[in-house]
Amino acid sequence: MAKQLLKGNDAVVKGAILAGCRAYYGYPITPASEIAEAAALYFPRVGGTFLQAESEIGAINMVYGASSAGIRSMTASSSPGISLKMEGVSYLVGAELPCVIVDIVRGGPGLGNIAPEQGDYFQIVKGGGHGNYRVPVLAPNSVQEMCDLTMLGFEIADRYRTPVFIMADGFTGQMMEPCEFPEPREDVPDKPWAVGPDASRIDNLVSSIYLDPDDLEGHVEKLRKKAEEIETNETRFEEYRLDDAEHVVIGYGIVSRILKSAVDMAREQGIKVGLLRPISLFPFPKAPIRKLAERVRDFLVVELSTGQMVEDVRLTLEGARPVRFYGRTGGNVPKDSELFEQIRKLQEEKIHA
Amino acid sequence: MPKEIYAKAESFYVDFERKTGPDKISTHYCPGCGHGNLHKMIAETLDEFGVRDKTIFVWPVGCSVFGYYYFHTGNVQVAHGRAPAVATGIKRAHPDSIVLVYQGDGDLAGIGGNEILQAANRGENITVFFVNNAIYGMTGGQMAPTTLPGMKTTTTPLGRTRENEGLPIRVVELLSALEAPTYLERVSLTDAKQMNRARRAVRKAIQAQVEGKGFTLVEALAPCPTGWKIAPTDSRDWIHEQMEPLFPLGAKKDVLEHVESIPGEPRPFVADGMGEKLDILASSVTQARKGTLKEEDYANPRIKVAGFGGQGILLLGVAFSECGMQAGYEVSWLPSYGPEMRGGTANCHVRISDPKIGSPMVEESDVLIAMNRPSLEKFEPDVRPGGLLLLDSSLIDIEPQRDDVTILKIPATKIADDIGTTKCANMVMMGAYIERTGILDLESVIEALPSYIKRKKTIPMNQQAIAKGAEYVREHF
Ligand SMILES: Cc1ncc(C[n+]2csc(CCOP(=O)(O)OP(=O)(O)O)c2C)c(N)n1
Ligand code: SF4
């Protein structure tokens, strides 16, 4: 198939359909509306369902239904809508229902604004809904990855019977870049646990209730083990110019793109710095960060937030190396020169030390 | 409730193995509770129509949360109030299944008010059984949206008042205001006569789904002796005397005879023809090619395009990116989005590059294409010393401030007007920029135009605009 120039939000929809997704339920919100709009166009063309739900609560529960019925399904929204979906996410996890949920994060809290931010990290990566659970979170930084990681999201979702989040930002959703589409999935995995329209399925129950404390503890333990397995198998990250680095910058999503430019600028000035980009936010790439700590001086974490992922970096390092943080919020996205300046400060601190 | 009653229906499990505790024979409902009666009517109807195997129940949160202990069908337990939304997802995945939604009054008329309203309004092909017992049974007798005026509950200790809590919601009347539902009836689980009516209503509602006749709902006034704190034997009278005057029995809507029967068909998974269906087939249009750079400094440009909405600013950026991609460059395009775009200025950042692109944001630009005065004023300072500044001199009546950049004044709007439409001023600028830099092959860009401008009628004019823009640069600079 051809290389195509398109928006990240559109790439999500085409990727999802190629991955075998046949149901989209959503509610409009900027800057994620193009996902719903593209879904409205393409899902019916492939014999799938598109429905604009009455609310994000409605949408996530329709996904719960579609997933219970054994088909690949998804929803997408932006921060305020994701807050509303969180009840549903907890139920999806509890009932072990696979699906993909896309968050094109915008500025918050409250209505905030529609500009890019990463302030949903805690909400998505650390829980957001009630109860003990973890869900895989993938953070694309290009249009190609909006397609690829959405597709991967469906595979992970089915493999572990879990919702999977795609956490992107307004820029990654709105920008256009070339994308190469892979071949479509010819079929999707059979789900013998799903409820379905025939006698083979009438003993199936989709539920998240475990009245007996021991039963629930067993179920929670099963979910915990699943999360552990996901940590072992599904950790993803990218390294850039880290070979001889003395300083490491860490950022995900659109920030990692700007950091790349800033790293290049710094390298031109002879500053030995490289980038580590988490692609999966859960599981968090702890091992590579710990390994880097053995040979680098310090870390700089950059986020479009007041500092959320940085807590994971600090937990991972357990004080082994200094961690600096630089954040912008409100929809302000740092310029590459601004991040270069932050890297230069690391270098200066080294000289003073 | 003794097992014998249930043993009759095949749609019930023989033993209730899913039930916690040692007793796998009786239900978990209180003596005199209405839920069991309604369950039985539903099970018998499923047997009668022979649809048990394709039935999927959606269970609420409330006393009937454990309905799946009893029904030997597909069962899905869902969040409080969301059953109609979940049922929508199931029914659309399996239109050939029978999807039954079971909800209490807190679940349906309280927390799930919007879900039921919208599912009904869409005319989802589902059947809803709504148990109105005027109280929250499961949580211990709090007020429901259907609690009667003056009725004491644990959260209305002095009785429900119009002033504080409002009056009870009449669900079937409310829903009957909608066009889509085909059958809405209120029944009462009391004496033999009413039980028979209830049975007929249950049967009718399920039959409607078997025949594919849209959204149906049966509201059952049901005893909750525990919540009402009265003896089971008194609860029938209580319904007759207290509830029925407020919640009149009977069909509030029934158009089943007049609606077309469209039984649901299975939806097979289809994956062929994706290239065409998703618009991702290789294009048959001529592709743009790289040109010969006129100066090395013109390589890997970081471009800002700015003007007001309606000038085709974003489209110009897309055209650059599309041609750049076709020619084999790395490209990125980033718009200003949202309210920023409405009415006021529009701008976009474009990068065309040999090496991979880091940030798609353009901070310091190598090229600024300014199509109106505010854009020039706003973005001129960001142009790199030695960079290029193209401006539409037909619209911009001030002089640029910079003397360290190359300035090309192009009367783009005038040239466009001469061609016949102001709208193609953006393409005049495209021609001018390409001619100046040689970053793309001009002829191929003109030929490739149908790949980035979709409106067929405007193609010749836009092609002419590119050529004219290039010509202007050739002749004047
Ligand atoms: C989000 C949420 N809020 C509150 C509850 C607690 N809750 C459980 S059942 C129920 C009310 C059930 O009443 P009703 O729907 O009338 O059913 P009944 O028990 O009377 O059959 C409530 C408030 C819950 N489970 N979830
Ligand atoms: S509390 Fe009321 S509704 Fe619940 S089981 Fe008992 S009688 Fe039935």
Side-chain angles (χ1 to χ4, degrees):
Chain A
M1 272 169 217
K3 209 183 208 185
Q4 190 175 46
L5 183 76
L6 81 172
K7 282 192 175 189
N9 281 344
D10 294 333
V12 164
V13 171
K14 294 187 182 187
I17 291 175
L18 291 172
C21 178
R22 289 295 180 273
Y24 182 100
Y25 294 99
Y27 188 84
I29 183 169
T30 311
S33 293
E34 290 88 356
I35 301 184
E37 287 161 4
L41 182 65
Y42 292 114
F43 273 77
R45 279 199 200 170
V46 300
T49 300
F50 167 84
L51 183 63
Q52 179 169 326
E54 57 268 25
S55 67
E56 289 83 354
I57 298 173
I60 194 79
N61 282 286
M62 291 169 190
V63 167
Y64 186 103
S67 185
S68 301
I71 67 169
R72 285 190 165 179
S73 62
M74 72 177 295
T75 184
S77 187
S78 178
S79 312
I82 296 295
S83 299
L84 277 181
K85 286 185 199 291
M86 278 301 172
E87 175 197 50
V89 174
S90 172
Y91 277 79
L92 284 157
V93 174
E96 298 188 86
L97 291 174
C99 69
V100 169
I101 304 162
V102 182
D103 183 2
I104 307 294
V105 184
R106 62 184 242 181
L111 206 47
N113 65 24
I114 60 166
E117 237 204 43
Q118 296 179 325
D120 287 7
Y121 185 92
F122 284 159
Q123 160 160 256
I124 294 176
V125 179
K126 299 294 173 184
H130 57 286
N132 291 289
Y133 74 86
R134 292 286 176 148
V135 289
V137 183
L138 302 171
N141 77 351
S142 65
V143 172
Q144 183 69 53
E145 282 193 356
M146 288 290 262
C147 169
D148 295 349
L149 294 185
T150 300
M151 295 186 75
L152 175 66
F154 280 102
E155 301 308 317
I156 294 177
D158 276 351
R159 201 173 301 146
Y160 300 96
R161 284 189 62 182
T162 176
V164 172
F165 267 99
I166 307 295
M167 182 175 170
D169 54 80
F171 272 5
T172 317
Q174 296 290 330
M175 73 186 186
M176 274 185 161
E177 283 181 332
C179 177
E180 258 172 291
F181 291 100
E183 290 302 312
R185 268 197 81 120
E186 296 293 330
D187 51 19
V188 283
D190 183 41
K191 297 176 184 170
W193 49 264
V195 292
D198 59 57
S200 67
R201 301 286 166 98
I202 60 168
D203 283 308
N204 288 348
L205 166 66
V206 173
S207 164
S208 60
I209 307 183
Y210 294 85
L211 267 197
D212 179 86
D214 291 336
D215 288 351
L216 182 55
E217 191 169 46
H219 179 60
V220 169
E221 176 58 14
K222 179 182 171 198
L223 296 179
R224 194 195 61 76
K225 279 210 180 110
K226 190 195 287 197
E228 213 170 69
E229 213 184 308
I230 291 170
E231 285 204 82
T232 311
N233 301 333
E234 310 295 345
T235 304
R236 289 174 170 81
F237 57 93
E238 182 194 343
E239 294 179 310
Y240 183 67
R241 304 188 84 164
L242 278 171
D243 283 350
D244 59 343
E246 292 174 358
H247 314 283
V248 179
V249 292
I250 302 183
Y252 66 96
I254 192 67
V255 170
S256 67
R257 296 283 297 267
I258 307 163
L259 278 172
K260 257 188 197 175
S261 293
V263 163
D264 288 344
M265 288 163 89
R267 283 278 175 177
E268 269 174 41
Q269 307 289 315
I271 303 174
K272 290 187 172 172
V273 60
L275 165 73
L276 185 125
R277 164 170 84 106
I279 296 174
S280 56
L281 300 178
F282 179 80
F284 195 67
K286 292 180 195 160
I289 292 176
R290 288 202 183 114
K291 226 166 122 204
L292 281 169
E294 290 167 13
R295 62 177 171 88
V296 306
R297 267 187 66 84
D298 46 23
F299 291 80
L300 167 69
V301 177
V302 181
E303 293 177 62
L304 304 182
S305 80
T306 50
Q308 301 193 14
M309 180 184 70
V310 66
E311 292 191 2
D312 276 332
V313 175
R314 292 201 168 114
L315 279 171
T316 302
L317 288 169
E318 296 183 68
R321 288 286 175 272
V323 178
R324 303 270 173 274
F325 175 73
Y326 186 73
R328 295 296 305 269
T329 61
N332 285 311
V333 178
K335 303 180 166 116
D336 37 20
S337 58
E338 193 175 335
L339 297 187
F340 164 71
E341 195 51 34
Q342 294 300 317
I343 294 171
R344 217 180 43 79
K345 276 191 191 156
L346 287 183
Q347 169 83 348
E348 256 171 28
E349 277 171 26
K350 178 185 122 184
I351 294 163
H352 289 310
Chain B
M1 190 156 295
K3 178 184 167 186
E4 301 80 75
I5 295 180
Y6 282 173
K8 290 180 190 144
E10 272 202 5
S11 295
F12 283 129
Y13 281 111
V14 178
D15 294 318
F16 307 142
E17 293 298 338
R18 284 184 178 139
K19 200 169 160 245
T20 49
D23 175 2
K24 308 288 185 196
I25 288 169
S26 5
T27 71
H28 71 288
Y29 296 113
C30 310
C33 173
H35 282 298
N37 291 321
L38 184 59
H39 283 16
K40 183 164 176 279
M41 292 173 191
I42 296 171
E44 285 171 357
T45 309
L46 295 178
D47 285 5
E48 183 194 336
F49 288 122
V51 293
R52 177 196 68 170
D53 292 353
K54 54 177 179 174
T55 293
I56 301 167
F57 260 102
V58 184
W59 296 104
V61 182
C63 282
S64 49
V65 65
F66 301 118
Y68 59 83
Y69 287 172
Y70 314 119
F71 281 88
H72 193 182
T73 59
N75 286 289
V76 179
Q77 203 295 307
V78 310
H80 196 21
R82 318 299 179 213
V86 174
T88 298
I90 296 173
K91 184 70 181 187
R92 288 177 182 233
H94 295 313
D96 50 335
S97 62
I98 300 295
V99 178
L100 305 182
V101 176
Y102 196 105
Q103 297 185 269
D105 42 39
D107 198 84
L108 182 143
I111 194 166
N114 197 26
E115 282 77 10
I116 189 67
L117 182 75
Q118 304 283 342
N121 188 53
R122 288 191 301 268
E124 295 294 338
N125 241 306
I126 57 177
T127 308
V128 181
F129 296 106
F130 168 41
V131 175
N132 177 356
N133 55 16
I135 203 149
Y136 283 14
M138 186 186 216
T139 40
Q142 297 84 6
M143 187 195 74
T146 47
T147 292
L148 310 179
M151 186 174 160
K152 287 183 181 164
T153 69
T154 58
T155 49
T156 51
L158 303 177
R160 178 177 189 160
T161 64
R162 181 192 193 123
E163 292 70 31
N164 201 44
E165 292 88 11
L167 296 175
I169 294 179
R170 296 191 181 100
V171 169
V172 287
E173 284 81 354
L174 193 71
L175 295 183
S176 64
L178 302 174
E179 189 72 29
T182 51
Y183 174 59
L184 303 166
E185 173 149 6
R186 183 180 291 121
V187 299
S188 125
L189 305 175
T190 48
D191 52 55
K193 185 174 146 205
Q194 295 305 335
M195 285 288 192
N196 269 330
R197 287 194 173 158
R199 205 168 286 121
R200 276 203 300 276
V202 166
R203 190 178 179 283
K204 198 164 167 177
I206 292 177
Q207 184 175 7
Q209 190 176 168
V210 172
E211 293 172 358
K213 287 191 168 182
F215 181 92
T216 60
L217 177 144
V218 176
E219 171 174 343
L221 305 184
C224 173
T226 309
W228 301 344
K229 299 189 175 63
I230 61 176
T233 43
D234 295 336
S235 55
R236 276 183 196 176
D237 291 343
W238 199 86
I239 292 180
H240 284 318
E241 286 157 22
Q242 305 292 326
M243 290 187 81
E244 286 172 14
L246 249 162
F247 298 108
L249 302 183
K252 300 295 160 223
K253 186 165 184 193
D254 182 358
V255 294
L256 287 173
E257 276 187 16
H258 311 290
V259 294
E260 200 189 340
S261 163
I262 312 172
E265 298 286 333
R267 292 177 79 169
F269 181 85
V270 187
D272 57 357
M274 282 293 167
E276 203 176 335
K277 288 174 187 164
L278 295 183
D279 297 327
I280 49 180
L281 284 181
S283 161
S284 53
V285 177
T286 307
Q287 303 284 286
R289 293 184 301 275
K290 285 188 186 179
T292 314
L293 276 186
K294 301 208 168 144
E295 279 178 38
E296 220 171 274
D297 198 41
Y298 292 151
N300 308 323
R302 298 163 299 170
I303 307 171
K304 261 185 210 166
V305 189
F308 49 76
Q311 279 186 309
I313 299 299
L314 300 184
L315 180 65
L316 175 54
V318 172
F320 278 137
S321 314
E322 178 72 39
C323 291
M325 177 188 76
Q326 291 178 10
Y329 290 113
E330 300 283 335
V331 297
S332 67
W333 173 90
L334 184 69
S336 54
Y337 66 83
E340 221 189 310
M341 283 165 64
R342 280 176 212 137
T345 61
N347 72 81
C348 62
H349 301 180
V350 176
R351 296 195 58 181
I352 301 176
S353 168
D354 282 311
K356 276 212 169 294
I357 293 167
S359 171
M361 274 202 312
V362 174
E363 173 191 350
E364 179 190 67
S365 67
D366 301 303
V367 182
L368 170 64
I369 300 181
M371 302 284 287
N372 68 358
R373 181 174 162 171
S375 305
L376 176 68
E377 288 169 337
K378 187 166 176 197
F379 297 115
E380 186 186 355
D382 304 336
V383 184
R384 160 177 71 82
L388 264 182
L389 197 173
L390 285 81
L391 55 88
D392 185 345
S393 55
S394 338
L395 296 183
I396 299 175
D397 53 6
I398 54 162
E399 283 300 312
Q401 305 293 304
R402 299 281 295 269
D403 55 12
D404 58 346
V405 298
T406 306
I407 295 166
L408 305 183
K409 295 182 187 171
I410 318 282
T413 297
K414 180 168 184 310
I415 295 173
D417 283 340
D418 291 345
I419 292 169
T421 167
T422 313
K423 286 221 154 97
C424 64
N426 56 351
M427 289 299 119
V428 173
M429 282 302 202
M430 175 138 169
Y433 171 69
I434 291 171
E435 176 63 30
R436 174 72 189 200
T437 59
I439 186 140
L440 292 160
D441 173 73
L442 188 72
E443 284 312 311
S444 70
V445 167
I446 292 174
E447 274 181 63
L449 193 119
S451 68
Y452 53 89
I453 290 191
K454 304 290 176 199
R455 280 186 51 207
K456 273 215 171 84
K457 257 176 60 187
T458 67
I459 288 171
M461 279 195 208
N462 279 305
Q463 286 175 322
Q464 214 185 329
I466 297 176
K468 288 276 182 201
E471 189 184 301
Y472 189 87
V473 168
R474 228 176 290 132
E475 285 172 4
H476 293 81
F477 304 103

